[in-house]
Amino acid sequence: MRAATEDHPITKLALSTATVGLIVLFLVLPLITVFSNALAKGFGEAFAALRDPDALSAIELTVETALIVVPLNALFGICAAWAITKHQFPGKGVLVTLIDMPFSVSPVIAGLIFMLLFGMQGWLGPWLRDHDIKIVFALPGIVLATAFVSFPFVARELIPLMADQGSDEEQAAVSLGATGLQTFLRVTLPNIKWGLLYGVLLCNARAMGEFGAVSVVSGHIRGLTNTMPLQVEVLYNDYQFVGAFAVASVLAMLAIVTLIVKSFLEWRYADEIAAAHRH
């Protein structure tokens, strides 16, 4: 006799099979395809494609963009989560809605907005041109577009965590004479460190893999403004399949490493993470 709340064995088997099948179809097979095509002509050809100056420039630009965007979004996420969960102010609901906006706005539309603002024919274009300031078709535009599409991740990870924890400990610290910075470093930060780390990992993965918004503002200048996703498109359209899949495999490996690090931290510090969420 099985319990009333226990699923039938056939149901369990069907659900498990469907889940595994979808994972294999949408995750495992695409990854296998990427790596197999990258190595279709051997490791030598794949490494040669990655040593190409344009590919190296794309990798360097992608890493540089992430190194700028991720700390900025982490700082914004902490500030936004602190303001939303620890304070009451007019327009709080509007701020929460604005944080979610990049999830609902197409990245291509975001890129077009930046073109409208900073392009040569945009609102600020003539002033920027007169002062020899380059935003679009340069690193600043790529950073802005990437920051826009990836900034909700840290905030969205921290807001529910900090809301659950409340503000009793911060108030106690302030009543004992701690400054705002001391309260944050010694009370708030230790309680949110795992949520912050998860948000940073997700933000970094999103920043390195962004295509739509960056495609609009970059200008697709080889060796200058192509990030790795854009370089993959360029190589694929030029029928340089080994090179395209070689660069794509680097992106795939970065995503896999992100998941491995996240899983390791969850396993290694499971008790601390659970305690932080119960706090």
Side-chain angles (χ1 to χ4, degrees):
M1 295 292 291
R2 60 188 177 88
T5 57
E6 184 179 355
D7 290 328
H8 193 279
I10 296 179
T11 303
K12 292 181 181 180
L13 178 62
L15 291 175
S16 300
T17 303
T19 302
V20 173
L22 290 174
I23 291 175
V24 171
L25 179 62
F26 293 110
L27 294 178
V28 177
L29 288 181
L31 287 174
I32 292 175
T33 301
V34 168
F35 289 110
S36 62
N37 280 277
L39 301 175
K41 296 183 179 180
F43 285 95
E45 289 288 335
F47 283 123
L50 293 177
R51 289 195 299 268
D52 180 79
D54 288 347
L56 290 175
S57 174
I59 295 172
E60 180 182 352
L61 180 59
T62 302
V63 173
E64 183 179 4
T65 301
L67 289 175
I68 297 172
V69 167
V70 173
L72 290 176
N73 282 342
L75 179 61
F76 168 81
I78 293 171
C79 294
W82 181 286
I84 291 170
T85 59
K86 309 296 183 181
H87 302 282
Q88 296 294 331
F89 55 90
K92 182 176 177 179
V94 176
L95 177 59
V96 175
T97 301
L98 291 176
I99 290 175
D100 290 336
M101 184 176 293
F103 289 139
S104 58
V105 175
S106 168
V108 175
I109 300 301
L112 290 174
I113 291 173
F114 287 117
M115 288 296 296
L116 180 62
L117 288 173
F118 305 115
M120 284 299 179
Q121 306 302 320
W123 296 343
L124 301 177
W127 184 88
L128 293 172
R129 180 188 57 210
D130 294 340
H131 292 79
D132 195 27
I133 299 175
K134 290 185 178 180
I135 302 294
V136 298
F137 304 158
L139 177 62
I142 295 172
V143 169
L144 285 173
T146 305
F148 176 84
V149 299
S150 61
F151 83 82
F153 288 95
V154 176
R156 266 299 159 202
E157 192 70 33
L158 293 181
I159 288 173
L161 178 60
M162 295 176 70
D164 288 342
Q165 292 175 349
S167 58
D168 292 342
E169 290 191 7
E170 284 86 356
Q171 292 176 1
V174 171
S175 67
L176 293 174
T179 64
L181 181 59
Q182 290 174 330
T183 300
F184 174 76
L185 293 178
R186 297 183 181 181
V187 179
T188 305
L189 186 59
N191 288 335
I192 67 170
K193 60 183 178 181
W194 300 118
L196 177 61
L197 181 58
Y198 289 165
V200 166
L201 288 173
L202 293 174
C203 178
N204 181 70
R206 184 71 173 89
M208 286 193 170
E210 172 52 27
F211 177 85
V214 173
S215 177
V216 176
V217 302
S218 70
H220 285 272
I221 305 174
R222 287 196 181 194
L224 292 176
T225 63
N226 269 355
T227 58
M228 281 194 282
L230 301 184
Q231 184 69 9
V232 171
E233 182 198 33
V234 169
L235 292 174
Y236 191 85
N237 289 338
D238 287 346
Y239 302 100
Q240 300 179 38
F241 299 122
V242 171
F245 284 104
V247 178
S249 67
V250 175
L251 282 172
M253 285 189 290
L254 290 172
I256 293 172
V257 169
T258 300
L259 292 176
I260 291 175
V261 171
K262 181 177 181 294
S263 299
F264 172 78
L265 292 173
E266 288 178 340
W267 168 77
R268 178 65 178 80
Y269 301 100
D271 294 337
E272 292 185 37
I273 294 171
H277 282 278
R278 289 196 304 265
H279 184 73

